Amino acid sequence: MELAELPNSRTEADGSAVIRALSYNVRSLRDDEEALARVIRACAPDLVFVQEAPRFFRWRKHAARLAARCDLVVLSGGATAAGPLLLCSLRAFVERTEDVLLPLTPGRHRRGFATAVVRFGGVRVGVLSAHLSLDGPERLEQSRMLLERLAGMDVPYVIAAGDINEGPEGAAFGRLAGSLQDCWAVAPWGSEHTWARSGQPKRIDGVFAGPGVEVLACGVPAGLPGVASADLLAATDHLPVLAALRLPAV
């Protein structure tokens, strides 16, 4: 069944911008890259918040290849952010980027944030891609650092997205949703669950928008024209989250 129509990207007469933001854990491109690229292209995103981007041998080449296959460009992140990556369309005007490595807990994976400040039309927005820890207390502390990083961007609007590694009932997810808009909860569209490979299906990935951002729709784009169920299964082990957001002119 096809989804209800999703608002298209556009710049309005007063400088306000409607954008599409996609969050996607790509499992280090270990699966079907062509299926992954087809899903991303069908979503027509202005911003892609990637998690588990390639981090090792020739990682920049792999990131650039993915971006090119999706008609996008690399914005920031990758190995220098310990996995989170940002891609964008040529519609985005880039002001600055910064890759942030978080404190390393011995015996665990290094985590980080890929961040940038970009402009769409006349609107500035700070963006952050994250993949939080599998450990609960560490994940909660990383959610605090995420909010602190967003608060320091000095922009009218912020968007964060990523693999939270827990559902809305979790403390870290709840902290994010307490300060930001959980876009699925505000304007549900498409499907909800982003992890269905084992156990009970869960919503462990999300797009979060700061105050003032108008959330038009958000969810897993299963059923969006061009997004085939076979491609969603072949692309990676997570399902993507697509949001349509309006950034009012300031």
Side-chain angles (χ1 to χ4, degrees):
M1 183 175 70
E2 289 194 358
L3 291 175
E5 187 174 350
L6 188 74
N8 291 321
S9 302
R10 64 182 184 273
T11 302
E12 299 175 341
D14 66 352
S16 300
V18 174
I19 66 170
R20 290 188 180 190
L22 181 72
S23 184
Y24 215 165
N25 183 319
V26 302
R27 211 170 81 99
S28 299
L29 302 181
R30 287 181 288 175
D31 301 293
D32 187 335
E33 281 191 52
E34 290 299 332
L36 179 69
R38 284 193 294 269
V39 171
I40 295 174
R41 287 197 305 269
C43 291
D46 300 288
L47 295 164
V48 184
F49 299 73
V50 175
Q51 302 85 47
E52 289 195 38
R55 295 185 293 125
F56 301 110
F57 185 63
R58 295 182 177 175
W59 67 269
R60 288 184 175 86
K61 178 179 179 180
H62 295 309
R65 183 181 68 244
L66 174 63
R69 285 179 171 174
C70 301
D71 301 321
L72 301 167
V73 297
V74 174
L75 177 53
S76 70
T80 48
L85 175 74
L86 288 166
L87 308 178
C88 67
S89 71
L90 294 179
R91 185 178 174 222
F93 181 89
V94 182
E95 288 194 6
R96 65 179 188 269
T97 66
E98 183 178 4
D99 300 332
V100 179
L101 289 175
L102 302 181
L104 175 63
T105 301
R108 298 195 185 125
H109 289 298
R110 192 71 183 257
R111 303 286 177 172
F113 302 144
T115 78
V117 174
V118 297
R119 277 192 279 143
F120 293 98
V123 185
R124 299 172 67 238
V125 59
V127 296
L128 184 154
S129 179
H131 186 183
L132 302 190
S133 174
L134 289 167
D135 177 77
E138 184 176 48
R139 186 164 61 242
L140 182 60
E141 175 62 11
Q142 290 170 354
S143 69
R144 183 195 65 78
M145 290 187 280
L146 186 158
L147 293 172
E148 184 178 75
R149 178 64 53 171
L150 291 179
M153 284 188 167
D154 190 29
V155 289
Y157 305 116
V158 292
I159 304 166
D163 180 351
I164 311 305
N165 264 322
E166 68 179 26
E169 72 287 347
F173 201 115
R175 172 176 276 171
L176 296 178
S179 295
L180 306 169
Q181 300 179 79
D182 172 4
C183 293
W184 160 262
V186 173
W189 166 93
S191 302
E192 178 181 4
H193 300 122
T194 63
W195 177 260
R197 293 299 177 101
S198 61
Q200 184 73 19
K202 303 173 183 177
R203 181 165 70 96
I204 63 172
D205 306 79
V207 178
F208 300 86
V213 176
E214 184 181 352
V215 182
L216 305 177
C218 180
V220 174
L224 186 74
V227 176
S229 296
D231 282 345
L232 289 172
L233 290 173
T236 176
D237 59 350
H238 283 243
L239 294 172
V241 183
L242 179 62
L245 307 170
R246 183 175 181 273
L247 310 174
V250 179

